[in-house]
Amino acid sequence: MTVRRDFKEPARCRPDQVIGREELFTAAREQLGRGGSVLLHGPAGIGKSTVLRALAGEYGGAARTVLRCSPTESESHLPFLALADLLGLVLDEVSDRLPAAQLTALESALTGRGESTLQRDGLALRLAVLSALRALADSGPVLVVADDLQWLDPASAELLGFAARRLGDTPVRMLCAVRTEGEEYDRHLRASPPDTLAVRLGPLSRAQMSALLDHRGYTGLPRSTVRDIHRTSGGNALFALELGRALAENATPPRPGEPLPVPTSLRALVLNRLEMLSEEARRTLLVASAGARPTLALLHAAGRDNAEAETAQAAELGLLATEPEGPAVRFAHPMISAALYAEAPAQERRAAHAALSTAASDPIERARHLALATTGTDPEVAARLAGAATLARDRGAPSVAAQLSLLAARHTPAVGTPSPDVLRLAAAEDAITAGELDLARDIAREVLARTAVPAERVRAWIAVIETAGHAMTEVDSIFPQALADAGDDPELLALVHYQLTWRALLVEGDFDEARREAGYAAELAARAGDRYTELMALAFQAQIETLMGHPDAPATIRRALEEPQDPRVACHHNGAGYSRFRWLIMSDQLPEARAAVTALLREVRRHGWVESEVHFLRGVAETELHSGHCGRALDLARESLRLARDTGIGEVASAVLTSLAEAAGGEVDRALALAREAVEHAEEVGDQMYVSRALAALGHAQLVAGDTEAAVRSLRRVREVEQSLGITDPARGRWHGDLAEALVRCGELTEAQDVIDVTRELAQRLDRESVLAVLDRAEALVRAAHGEQDAALAQLTSAQDRLAKLGYGLEEARAAFALARLRTSGSGPASYDEAARLFRRCRALPWLRRVEAATAARPAEAAPAPAATPDGLDGLDGLASMERQVAALVMEGATNREIAARLFISVKTVEATLTRVYRKLGIRSRVDIVRLAAGRRTT
């Protein structure tokens, strides 16, 4: 594909921000930092020049001399032109250091005043370029920056390559970019040093492209449009930005089902070979561009009798890609298809769709082509489109169903049945199911501006509310309007009160009110005969009661599972199936929970229900995390987060779970960043439920990182928030053991025991065995801090056994780790072997690193147990247990870092504890502790 040199990426690109290329940029930066060279390669418009400019801007300041060239296709036949760009301005600086013969040859080549050629002055020229670079490098590092290396004139390429291969340790680095359209890049390495790092730039992902469009100012594009841009551009940054610009400048968005508008600049860019096609071949390609999955058979059925010869001609010109297997007709790049369609007159496009409306075998495709071939309203076309939308919905393609319903609305007369607005609402609801929230919101707002029918208005209000997700404070003012439109109709009121359940939970943080609203919504729906809404309300009531630890939760779940069932509820993320999963996982039935949520995930993927898929991915990941399968949990959590960010659904919840998974099996720094991000977002939207969950994830990550003071602060906030919300089931967040453990590490033993006692009472009432075992593990740490070594060991051993039987692999390993800490005084480093084995089985990498640190911190000789106290401190009853342990280790001569490693607390905690010791004993330093203890021994 030929790209004009005057067709550049927008100048607004900041060189210090290379979106979507962070890893590649880092690798190239490190190579340049080591004194090496870099060759960037990839197709036209992929972003090579952007990365090259960013790297050159970063490393240009470190070089004394920067030599640049940027050859063009039109000038590539001129010999020595690139060499003149590179050395022309520095020739005077090095001329006195070049031998006369070399200088004469080089001046002749650069100025064009002589008749220098590679054949005539080859050796002199080659040596002159090498000598010039060495002379420049004698004064400081040299950076050679060459863009579009493919247009380098052959003479300059030969000379540059000769010098590059012989520079050796001379401080000359080369930073080059070359276009490769599928061919090998190796031949371009001839102009680079032997150790050059070749970095290929591939297509951007959809998320990266979305970030790029946002950065360039195209922030108002719906996610569905970004998806179409990504598909049409093939991940090419330049193409995507031009499409985004065209959409931003186009006041009329494309009709549903139509390709994106392609600006004239891109049409010329990709269609310059189209003029070489015959008119009939061009029409054949237009039919192929209009089809969803064009094949030779489809083209024949659409009346293109010479399709084989015409597509072969297009393939020779590079417009079509050859398919070694199968009959598909595939364009060499999606942009060619889009540009070809955009270039065709409207009449020819309608003719292509008309031909495909009878040729296509799939009824959904036939209906779509019929709609695009028809202008104005047509009841028959509208009916076929509505039927096709139903079929797409049943096939699990809600996004396609939304497009078809919008097309049906466009072709439905104003007085038609169903009305155009009913069809638009169906499209909005399908868009929500598909995760296209921006599209759904726009459709619902359009319906509200059009209709006065109460039922239609209430459905539209509900769609607007549902697109807000957990950010319900943003739509709080809608509820009075929705209630007013519902009047006294029980069916419409049930819909609104079901949403008020969510408002009570997310905005007010009132579980009792949420439970009452859910019950009332179920009652209204039952009165109206709306079984779907009744089941949804009952399922949500069951979830609330589960979180509250309410005794009615099991009975409500059974009511929600009673027949008759609605298939739409069975696999909904707020349906009874998910309520049952939450009950199973909170009741320590991990195998049953895994089977239940895996079946749900499989079913929603079959139906294409994206929002539910995000929820159930988290559910499977949570089950794997509890089971101690940290690697699997991390993969699933990351997949959920990618999907959540791509769709805008459940981002906070997915960030929370991914933080927990990272802290268990990934990177603690990543866990901390995700948790902080989740806290910030939850606080922004006023979602107290997820404020508490995000803080719990943050506190856990801080505990794993060894920052116990920060963990205590975060988890104390969780306790306050959940007490205010009325959450009483400790299996909901499972943060209580972490808080107690962090409090022990900070020396706050009384508060730690209080957390354990209060939580144990709730866990015993609700029969939460795993929570009780974790509390026992934490209480053993309290006992150890009080010097009750034998009791602590017995309690930890029991907790580990119970967690193993329940299947909580990671918690079992943590108990083994705590046991090892208490036993180190007698068995040395080998006592960590069991904990290390269990953490390896779980693939709990952060915890394994803690075990390694603990093993490395152990002295060669056995040390006294941490709880033991030197004789000289026996009479110092004013010190708390943690303070006495720290003082004891000071007596042994341990540094603050060594004390932190021995007691598994942070250095900050050691410092704070010592400050309290000094204050209580009336002393000023560590030396005073030793002196005081020594004095006590002599009395």
Side-chain angles (χ1 to χ4, degrees), residues 66-72 75 80-90 109-110 145 152-153 156:
V66 179
L67 308 176
R68 298 176 184 271
C69 71
S70 185
T72 64
E75 297 170 342
F80 307 123
L81 185 61
L83 190 67
D85 289 341
L86 291 170
L87 298 178
L89 297 178
V90 296
L110 297 184
V145 181
L152 205 66
D153 62 273
S156 295

mmCIF file with all atom_site columns, all heavy atoms in Angstrom, residues 66-72 75 80-90 109-110 145 152-153 156:
data_model
loop_
_atom_site.group_PDB
_atom_site.id
_atom_site.type_symbol
_atom_site.label_atom_id
_atom_site.label_alt_id
_atom_site.label_comp_id
_atom_site.label_asym_id
_atom_site.label_entity_id
_atom_site.label_seq_id
_atom_site.pdbx_PDB_ins_code
_atom_site.Cartn_x
_atom_site.Cartn_y
_atom_site.Cartn_z
_atom_site.occupancy
_atom_site.B_iso_or_equiv
_atom_site.pdbx_formal_charge
_atom_site.auth_seq_id
_atom_site.auth_comp_id
_atom_site.auth_asym_id
_atom_site.auth_atom_id
_atom_site.pdbx_PDB_model_num
ATOM 1   N N   . VAL A 1 66  ? 23.117 14.912 16.467 1.00 0.00 ? 66  VAL A N   1
ATOM 2   C CA  . VAL A 1 66  ? 21.973 14.162 15.959 1.00 0.00 ? 66  VAL A CA  1
ATOM 3   C C   . VAL A 1 66  ? 21.903 14.372 14.459 1.00 0.00 ? 66  VAL A C   1
ATOM 4   O O   . VAL A 1 66  ? 21.790 15.512 13.983 1.00 0.00 ? 66  VAL A O   1
ATOM 5   C CB  . VAL A 1 66  ? 20.656 14.606 16.619 1.00 0.00 ? 66  VAL A CB  1
ATOM 6   C CG1 . VAL A 1 66  ? 19.488 13.807 16.039 1.00 0.00 ? 66  VAL A CG1 1
ATOM 7   C CG2 . VAL A 1 66  ? 20.714 14.429 18.130 1.00 0.00 ? 66  VAL A CG2 1
ATOM 8   N N   . LEU A 1 67  ? 22.011 13.296 13.721 1.00 0.00 ? 67  LEU A N   1
ATOM 9   C CA  . LEU A 1 67  ? 21.942 13.336 12.260 1.00 0.00 ? 67  LEU A CA  1
ATOM 10  C C   . LEU A 1 67  ? 20.597 12.766 11.829 1.00 0.00 ? 67  LEU A C   1
ATOM 11  O O   . LEU A 1 67  ? 20.197 11.697 12.288 1.00 0.00 ? 67  LEU A O   1
ATOM 12  C CB  . LEU A 1 67  ? 23.076 12.507 11.648 1.00 0.00 ? 67  LEU A CB  1
ATOM 13  C CG  . LEU A 1 67  ? 24.497 12.823 12.154 1.00 0.00 ? 67  LEU A CG  1
ATOM 14  C CD1 . LEU A 1 67  ? 25.492 11.859 11.531 1.00 0.00 ? 67  LEU A CD1 1
ATOM 15  C CD2 . LEU A 1 67  ? 24.867 14.265 11.848 1.00 0.00 ? 67  LEU A CD2 1
ATOM 16  N N   . ARG A 1 68  ? 19.890 13.453 10.950 1.00 0.00 ? 68  ARG A N   1
ATOM 17  C CA  . ARG A 1 68  ? 18.535 13.037 10.572 1.00 0.00 ? 68  ARG A CA  1
ATOM 18  C C   . ARG A 1 68  ? 18.383 12.969 9.067  1.00 0.00 ? 68  ARG A C   1
ATOM 19  O O   . ARG A 1 68  ? 18.955 13.784 8.333  1.00 0.00 ? 68  ARG A O   1
ATOM 20  C CB  . ARG A 1 68  ? 17.492 14.022 11.119 1.00 0.00 ? 68  ARG A CB  1
ATOM 21  C CG  . ARG A 1 68  ? 17.458 14.133 12.628 1.00 0.00 ? 68  ARG A CG  1
ATOM 22  C CD  . ARG A 1 68  ? 16.449 15.199 13.050 1.00 0.00 ? 68  ARG A CD  1
ATOM 23  N NE  . ARG A 1 68  ? 16.444 15.411 14.486 1.00 0.00 ? 68  ARG A NE  1
ATOM 24  C CZ  . ARG A 1 68  ? 15.697 14.739 15.350 1.00 0.00 ? 68  ARG A CZ  1
ATOM 25  N NH1 . ARG A 1 68  ? 14.872 13.808 14.901 1.00 0.00 ? 68  ARG A NH1 1
ATOM 26  N NH2 . ARG A 1 68  ? 15.763 14.995 16.640 1.00 0.00 ? 68  ARG A NH2 1
ATOM 27  N N   . CYS A 1 69  ? 17.568 12.020 8.637  1.00 0.00 ? 69  CYS A N   1
ATOM 28  C CA  . CYS A 1 69  ? 17.111 11.999 7.250  1.00 0.00 ? 69  CYS A CA  1
ATOM 29  C C   . CYS A 1 69  ? 15.727 11.374 7.204  1.00 0.00 ? 69  CYS A C   1
ATOM 30  O O   . CYS A 1 69  ? 15.382 10.536 8.048  1.00 0.00 ? 69  CYS A O   1
ATOM 31  C CB  . CYS A 1 69  ? 18.073 11.239 6.342  1.00 0.00 ? 69  CYS A CB  1
ATOM 32  S SG  . CYS A 1 69  ? 18.096 9.458  6.561  1.00 0.00 ? 69  CYS A SG  1
ATOM 33  N N   . SER A 1 70  ? 14.924 11.819 6.239  1.00 0.00 ? 70  SER A N   1
ATOM 34  C CA  . SER A 1 70  ? 13.576 11.291 6.083  1.00 0.00 ? 70  SER A CA  1
ATOM 35  C C   . SER A 1 70  ? 13.283 11.214 4.590  1.00 0.00 ? 70  SER A C   1
ATOM 36  O O   . SER A 1 70  ? 12.636 12.090 4.017  1.00 0.00 ? 70  SER A O   1
ATOM 37  C CB  . SER A 1 70  ? 12.559 12.190 6.795  1.00 0.00 ? 70  SER A CB  1
ATOM 38  O OG  . SER A 1 70  ? 11.275 11.624 6.749  1.00 0.00 ? 70  SER A OG  1
ATOM 39  N N   . PRO A 1 71  ? 13.782 10.179 3.918  1.00 0.00 ? 71  PRO A N   1
ATOM 40  C CA  . PRO A 1 71  ? 13.639 10.099 2.459  1.00 0.00 ? 71  PRO A CA  1
ATOM 41  C C   . PRO A 1 71  ? 12.190 9.903  2.033  1.00 0.00 ? 71  PRO A C   1
ATOM 42  O O   . PRO A 1 71  ? 11.335 9.495  2.830  1.00 0.00 ? 71  PRO A O   1
ATOM 43  C CB  . PRO A 1 71  ? 14.492 8.887  2.096  1.00 0.00 ? 71  PRO A CB  1
ATOM 44  C CG  . PRO A 1 71  ? 14.529 8.054  3.331  1.00 0.00 ? 71  PRO A CG  1
ATOM 45  C CD  . PRO A 1 71  ? 14.505 9.031  4.476  1.00 0.00 ? 71  PRO A CD  1
ATOM 46  N N   . THR A 1 72  ? 11.919 10.228 0.774  1.00 0.00 ? 72  THR A N   1
ATOM 47  C CA  . THR A 1 72  ? 10.581 10.066 0.222  1.00 0.00 ? 72  THR A CA  1
ATOM 48  C C   . THR A 1 72  ? 10.634 9.171  -1.002 1.00 0.00 ? 72  THR A C   1
ATOM 49  O O   . THR A 1 72  ? 11.697 9.005  -1.643 1.00 0.00 ? 72  THR A O   1
ATOM 50  C CB  . THR A 1 72  ? 9.986  11.422 -0.185 1.00 0.00 ? 72  THR A CB  1
ATOM 51  O OG1 . THR A 1 72  ? 10.779 11.975 -1.244 1.00 0.00 ? 72  THR A OG1 1
ATOM 52  C CG2 . THR A 1 72  ? 9.974  12.383 0.994  1.00 0.00 ? 72  THR A CG2 1
ATOM 53  N N   . GLU A 1 75  ? 11.817 10.784 -4.320 1.00 0.00 ? 75  GLU A N   1
ATOM 54  C CA  . GLU A 1 75  ? 13.222 11.192 -4.412 1.00 0.00 ? 75  GLU A CA  1
ATOM 55  C C   . GLU A 1 75  ? 14.188 10.015 -4.232 1.00 0.00 ? 75  GLU A C   1
ATOM 56  O O   . GLU A 1 75  ? 15.400 10.212 -4.168 1.00 0.00 ? 75  GLU A O   1
ATOM 57  C CB  . GLU A 1 75  ? 13.514 12.245 -3.339 1.00 0.00 ? 75  GLU A CB  1
ATOM 58  C CG  . GLU A 1 75  ? 12.703 13.525 -3.511 1.00 0.00 ? 75  GLU A CG  1
ATOM 59  C CD  . GLU A 1 75  ? 12.807 14.453 -2.323 1.00 0.00 ? 75  GLU A CD  1
ATOM 60  O OE1 . GLU A 1 75  ? 13.207 13.998 -1.232 1.00 0.00 ? 75  GLU A OE1 1
ATOM 61  O OE2 . GLU A 1 75  ? 12.476 15.637 -2.487 1.00 0.00 ? 75  GLU A OE2 1
ATOM 62  N N   . PHE A 1 80  ? 22.780 9.527  -3.239 1.00 0.00 ? 80  PHE A N   1
ATOM 63  C CA  . PHE A 1 80  ? 23.451 10.254 -2.156 1.00 0.00 ? 80  PHE A CA  1
ATOM 64  C C   . PHE A 1 80  ? 22.553 11.308 -1.488 1.00 0.00 ? 80  PHE A C   1
ATOM 65  O O   . PHE A 1 80  ? 23.041 12.093 -0.679 1.00 0.00 ? 80  PHE A O   1
ATOM 66  C CB  . PHE A 1 80  ? 24.741 10.942 -2.654 1.00 0.00 ? 80  PHE A CB  1
ATOM 67  C CG  . PHE A 1 80  ? 25.682 10.030 -3.356 1.00 0.00 ? 80  PHE A CG  1
ATOM 68  C CD1 . PHE A 1 80  ? 26.092 10.289 -4.654 1.00 0.00 ? 80  PHE A CD1 1
ATOM 69  C CD2 . PHE A 1 80  ? 26.161 8.881  -2.730 1.00 0.00 ? 80  PHE A CD2 1
ATOM 70  C CE1 . PHE A 1 80  ? 26.965 9.443  -5.315 1.00 0.00 ? 80  PHE A CE1 1
ATOM 71  C CE2 . PHE A 1 80  ? 27.047 8.031  -3.379 1.00 0.00 ? 80  PHE A CE2 1
ATOM 72  C CZ  . PHE A 1 80  ? 27.439 8.307  -4.680 1.00 0.00 ? 80  PHE A CZ  1
ATOM 73  N N   . LEU A 1 81  ? 21.238 11.338 -1.806 1.00 0.00 ? 81  LEU A N   1
ATOM 74  C CA  . LEU A 1 81  ? 20.408 12.388 -1.226 1.00 0.00 ? 81  LEU A CA  1
ATOM 75  C C   . LEU A 1 81  ? 20.271 12.213 0.278  1.00 0.00 ? 81  LEU A C   1
ATOM 76  O O   . LEU A 1 81  ? 20.393 13.180 1.052  1.00 0.00 ? 81  LEU A O   1
ATOM 77  C CB  . LEU A 1 81  ? 19.015 12.381 -1.881 1.00 0.00 ? 81  LEU A CB  1
ATOM 78  C CG  . LEU A 1 81  ? 18.089 13.523 -1.438 1.00 0.00 ? 81  LEU A CG  1
ATOM 79  C CD1 . LEU A 1 81  ? 18.702 14.875 -1.787 1.00 0.00 ? 81  LEU A CD1 1
ATOM 80  C CD2 . LEU A 1 81  ? 16.713 13.378 -2.086 1.00 0.00 ? 81  LEU A CD2 1
ATOM 81  N N   . ALA A 1 82  ? 20.021 10.982 0.747  1.00 0.00 ? 82  ALA A N   1
ATOM 82  C CA  . ALA A 1 82  ? 19.901 10.743 2.188  1.00 0.00 ? 82  ALA A CA  1
ATOM 83  C C   . ALA A 1 82  ? 21.227 11.019 2.883  1.00 0.00 ? 82  ALA A C   1
ATOM 84  O O   . ALA A 1 82  ? 21.271 11.559 3.999  1.00 0.00 ? 82  ALA A O   1
ATOM 85  C CB  . ALA A 1 82  ? 19.452 9.303  2.457  1.00 0.00 ? 82  ALA A CB  1
ATOM 86  N N   . LEU A 1 83  ? 22.329 10.675 2.236  1.00 0.00 ? 83  LEU A N   1
ATOM 87  C CA  . LEU A 1 83  ? 23.649 10.947 2.808  1.00 0.00 ? 83  LEU A CA  1
ATOM 88  C C   . LEU A 1 83  ? 23.871 12.450 2.970  1.00 0.00 ? 83  LEU A C   1
ATOM 89  O O   . LEU A 1 83  ? 24.450 12.901 3.961  1.00 0.00 ? 83  LEU A O   1
ATOM 90  C CB  . LEU A 1 83  ? 24.716 10.341 1.910  1.00 0.00 ? 83  LEU A CB  1
ATOM 91  C CG  . LEU A 1 83  ? 26.143 10.315 2.485  1.00 0.00 ? 83  LEU A CG  1
ATOM 92  C CD1 . LEU A 1 83  ? 26.206 9.366  3.678  1.00 0.00 ? 83  LEU A CD1 1
ATOM 93  C CD2 . LEU A 1 83  ? 27.144 9.900  1.413  1.00 0.00 ? 83  LEU A CD2 1
ATOM 94  N N   . ALA A 1 84  ? 23.397 13.211 1.993  1.00 0.00 ? 84  ALA A N   1
ATOM 95  C CA  . ALA A 1 84  ? 23.510 14.665 2.091  1.00 0.00 ? 84  ALA A CA  1
ATOM 96  C C   . ALA A 1 84  ? 22.689 15.204 3.257  1.00 0.00 ? 84  ALA A C   1
ATOM 97  O O   . ALA A 1 84  ? 23.109 16.134 3.962  1.00 0.00 ? 84  ALA A O   1
ATOM 98  C CB  . ALA A 1 84  ? 23.059 15.307 0.782  1.00 0.00 ? 84  ALA A CB  1
ATOM 99  N N   . ASP A 1 85  ? 21.513 14.631 3.474  1.00 0.00 ? 85  ASP A N   1
ATOM 100 C CA  . ASP A 1 85  ? 20.706 15.050 4.625  1.00 0.00 ? 85  ASP A CA  1
ATOM 101 C C   . ASP A 1 85  ? 21.435 14.777 5.935  1.00 0.00 ? 85  ASP A C   1
ATOM 102 O O   . ASP A 1 85  ? 21.385 15.573 6.877  1.00 0.00 ? 85  ASP A O   1
ATOM 103 C CB  . ASP A 1 85  ? 19.361 14.324 4.625  1.00 0.00 ? 85  ASP A CB  1
ATOM 104 C CG  . ASP A 1 85  ? 18.438 14.817 3.522  1.00 0.00 ? 85  ASP A CG  1
ATOM 105 O OD1 . ASP A 1 85  ? 18.670 15.927 3.015  1.00 0.00 ? 85  ASP A OD1 1
ATOM 106 O OD2 . ASP A 1 85  ? 17.500 14.079 3.172  1.00 0.00 ? 85  ASP A OD2 1
ATOM 107 N N   . LEU A 1 86  ? 22.107 13.636 6.008  1.00 0.00 ? 86  LEU A N   1
ATOM 108 C CA  . LEU A 1 86  ? 22.769 13.230 7.247  1.00 0.00 ? 86  LEU A CA  1
ATOM 109 C C   . LEU A 1 86  ? 24.052 14.016 7.509  1.00 0.00 ? 86  LEU A C   1
ATOM 110 O O   . LEU A 1 86  ? 24.280 14.490 8.632  1.00 0.00 ? 86  LEU A O   1
ATOM 111 C CB  . LEU A 1 86  ? 23.088 11.729 7.204  1.00 0.00 ? 86  LEU A CB  1
ATOM 112 C CG  . LEU A 1 86  ? 21.899 10.759 7.271  1.00 0.00 ? 86  LEU A CG  1
ATOM 113 C CD1 . LEU A 1 86  ? 22.358 9.347  6.975  1.00 0.00 ? 86  LEU A CD1 1
ATOM 114 C CD2 . LEU A 1 86  ? 21.238 10.825 8.640  1.00 0.00 ? 86  LEU A CD2 1
ATOM 115 N N   . LEU A 1 87  ? 24.900 14.180 6.485  1.00 0.00 ? 87  LEU A N   1
ATOM 116 C CA  . LEU A 1 87  ? 26.248 14.713 6.710  1.00 0.00 ? 87  LEU A CA  1
ATOM 117 C C   . LEU A 1 87  ? 26.478 16.099 6.125  1.00 0.00 ? 87  LEU A C   1
ATOM 118 O O   . LEU A 1 87  ? 27.525 16.706 6.378  1.00 0.00 ? 87  LEU A O   1
ATOM 119 C CB  . LEU A 1 87  ? 27.293 13.749 6.130  1.00 0.00 ? 87  LEU A CB  1
ATOM 120 C CG  . LEU A 1 87  ? 27.330 12.343 6.742  1.00 0.00 ? 87  LEU A CG  1
ATOM 121 C CD1 . LEU A 1 87  ? 28.369 11.477 6.044  1.00 0.00 ? 87  LEU A CD1 1
ATOM 122 C CD2 . LEU A 1 87  ? 27.620 12.415 8.234  1.00 0.00 ? 87  LEU A CD2 1
ATOM 123 N N   . GLY A 1 88  ? 25.519 16.587 5.372  1.00 0.00 ? 88  GLY A N   1
ATOM 124 C CA  . GLY A 1 88  ? 25.747 17.859 4.692  1.00 0.00 ? 88  GLY A CA  1
ATOM 125 C C   . GLY A 1 88  ? 26.050 19.005 5.632  1.00 0.00 ? 88  GLY A C   1
ATOM 126 O O   . GLY A 1 88  ? 26.909 19.854 5.347  1.00 0.00 ? 88  GLY A O   1
ATOM 127 N N   . LEU A 1 89  ? 25.378 19.085 6.779  1.00 0.00 ? 89  LEU A N   1
ATOM 128 C CA  . LEU A 1 89  ? 25.555 20.204 7.695  1.00 0.00 ? 89  LEU A CA  1
ATOM 129 C C   . LEU A 1 89  ? 26.750 20.043 8.623  1.00 0.00 ? 89  LEU A C   1
ATOM 130 O O   . LEU A 1 89  ? 27.121 20.991 9.328  1.00 0.00 ? 89  LEU A O   1
ATOM 131 C CB  . LEU A 1 89  ? 24.281 20.398 8.535  1.00 0.00 ? 89  LEU A CB  1
ATOM 132 C CG  . LEU A 1 89  ? 23.022 20.777 7.751  1.00 0.00 ? 89  LEU A CG  1
ATOM 133 C CD1 . LEU A 1 89  ? 21.827 20.893 8.687  1.00 0.00 ? 89  LEU A CD1 1
ATOM 134 C CD2 . LEU A 1 89  ? 23.220 22.073 6.978  1.00 0.00 ? 89  LEU A CD2 1
ATOM 135 N N   . VAL A 1 90  ? 27.337 18.853 8.673  1.00 0.00 ? 90  VAL A N   1
ATOM 136 C CA  . VAL A 1 90  ? 28.461 18.632 9.592  1.00 0.00 ? 90  VAL A CA  1
ATOM 137 C C   . VAL A 1 90  ? 29.766 18.377 8.839  1.00 0.00 ? 90  VAL A C   1
ATOM 138 O O   . VAL A 1 90  ? 30.792 18.076 9.457  1.00 0.00 ? 90  VAL A O   1
ATOM 139 C CB  . VAL A 1 90  ? 28.170 17.446 10.540 1.00 0.00 ? 90  VAL A CB  1
ATOM 140 C CG1 . VAL A 1 90  ? 26.987 17.748 11.425 1.00 0.00 ? 90  VAL A CG1 1
ATOM 141 C CG2 . VAL A 1 90  ? 27.953 16.159 9.744  1.00 0.00 ? 90  VAL A CG2 1
ATOM 142 N N   . ALA A 1 109 ? 30.137 13.722 -3.665 1.00 0.00 ? 109 ALA A N   1
ATOM 143 C CA  . ALA A 1 109 ? 28.852 13.017 -3.522 1.00 0.00 ? 109 ALA A CA  1
ATOM 144 C C   . ALA A 1 109 ? 27.798 13.916 -2.886 1.00 0.00 ? 109 ALA A C   1
ATOM 145 O O   . ALA A 1 109 ? 26.630 13.918 -3.299 1.00 0.00 ? 109 ALA A O   1
ATOM 146 C CB  . ALA A 1 109 ? 29.047 11.756 -2.683 1.00 0.00 ? 109 ALA A CB  1
ATOM 147 N N   . LEU A 1 110 ? 28.202 14.695 -1.888 1.00 0.00 ? 110 LEU A N   1
ATOM 148 C CA  . LEU A 1 110 ? 27.217 15.496 -1.147 1.00 0.00 ? 110 LEU A CA  1
ATOM 149 C C   . LEU A 1 110 ? 26.782 16.737 -1.904 1.00 0.00 ? 110 LEU A C   1
ATOM 150 O O   . LEU A 1 110 ? 25.645 17.188 -1.783 1.00 0.00 ? 110 LEU A O   1
ATOM 151 C CB  . LEU A 1 110 ? 27.800 15.901 0.217  1.00 0.00 ? 110 LEU A CB  1
ATOM 152 C CG  . LEU A 1 110 ? 28.122 14.767 1.191  1.00 0.00 ? 110 LEU A CG  1
ATOM 153 C CD1 . LEU A 1 110 ? 28.600 15.325 2.517  1.00 0.00 ? 110 LEU A CD1 1
ATOM 154 C CD2 . LEU A 1 110 ? 26.925 13.862 1.400  1.00 0.00 ? 110 LEU A CD2 1
ATOM 155 N N   . VAL A 1 145 ? 19.138 9.297  13.075 1.00 0.00 ? 145 VAL A N   1
ATOM 156 C CA  . VAL A 1 145 ? 17.693 9.070  13.039 1.00 0.00 ? 145 VAL A CA  1
ATOM 157 C C   . VAL A 1 145 ? 17.248 9.049  11.583 1.00 0.00 ? 145 VAL A C   1
ATOM 158 O O   . VAL A 1 145 ? 17.385 10.063 10.871 1.00 0.00 ? 145 VAL A O   1
ATOM 159 C CB  . VAL A 1 145 ? 16.935 10.175 13.806 1.00 0.00 ? 145 VAL A CB  1
ATOM 160 C CG1 . VAL A 1 145 ? 15.436 9.897  13.780 1.00 0.00 ? 145 VAL A CG1 1
ATOM 161 C CG2 . VAL A 1 145 ? 17.441 10.269 15.239 1.00 0.00 ? 145 VAL A CG2 1
ATOM 162 N N   . LEU A 1 152 ? 15.154 4.954  1.199  1.00 0.00 ? 152 LEU A N   1
ATOM 163 C CA  . LEU A 1 152 ? 16.564 5.356  1.169  1.00 0.00 ? 152 LEU A CA  1
ATOM 164 C C   . LEU A 1 152 ? 17.151 5.040  -0.210 1.00 0.00 ? 152 LEU A C   1
ATOM 165 O O   . LEU A 1 152 ? 16.995 3.925  -0.714 1.00 0.00 ? 152 LEU A O   1
ATOM 166 C CB  . LEU A 1 152 ? 17.322 4.586  2.248  1.00 0.00 ? 152 LEU A CB  1
ATOM 167 C CG  . LEU A 1 152 ? 18.595 5.204  2.817  1.00 0.00 ? 152 LEU A CG  1
ATOM 168 C CD1 . LEU A 1 152 ? 18.278 6.477  3.581  1.00 0.00 ? 152 LEU A CD1 1
ATOM 169 C CD2 . LEU A 1 152 ? 19.283 4.210  3.745  1.00 0.00 ? 152 LEU A CD2 1
ATOM 170 N N   . ASP A 1 153 ? 17.801 6.015  -0.828 1.00 0.00 ? 153 ASP A N   1
ATOM 171 C CA  . ASP A 1 153 ? 18.391 5.748  -2.144 1.00 0.00 ? 153 ASP A CA  1
ATOM 172 C C   . ASP A 1 153 ? 19.458 4.666  -2.000 1.00 0.00 ? 153 ASP A C   1
ATOM 173 O O   . ASP A 1 153 ? 20.161 4.599  -0.980 1.00 0.00 ? 153 ASP A O   1
ATOM 174 C CB  . ASP A 1 153 ? 18.977 7.021  -2.742 1.00 0.00 ? 153 ASP A CB  1
ATOM 175 C CG  . ASP A 1 153 ? 20.098 7.597  -1.913 1.00 0.00 ? 153 ASP A CG  1
ATOM 176 O OD1 . ASP A 1 153 ? 19.795 8.382  -0.981 1.00 0.00 ? 153 ASP A OD1 1
ATOM 177 O OD2 . ASP A 1 153 ? 21.263 7.272  -2.193 1.00 0.00 ? 153 ASP A OD2 1
ATOM 178 N N   . SER A 1 156 ? 23.055 5.694  -0.779 1.00 0.00 ? 156 SER A N   1
ATOM 179 C CA  . SER A 1 156 ? 23.156 6.071  0.631  1.00 0.00 ? 156 SER A CA  1
ATOM 180 C C   . SER A 1 156 ? 23.014 4.849  1.526  1.00 0.00 ? 156 SER A C   1
ATOM 181 O O   . SER A 1 156 ? 23.711 4.725  2.539  1.00 0.00 ? 156 SER A O   1
ATOM 182 C CB  . SER A 1 156 ? 22.078 7.098  0.975  1.00 0.00 ? 156 SER A CB  1
ATOM 183 O OG  . SER A 1 156 ? 22.278 8.307  0.276  1.00 0.00 ? 156 SER A OG  1
#
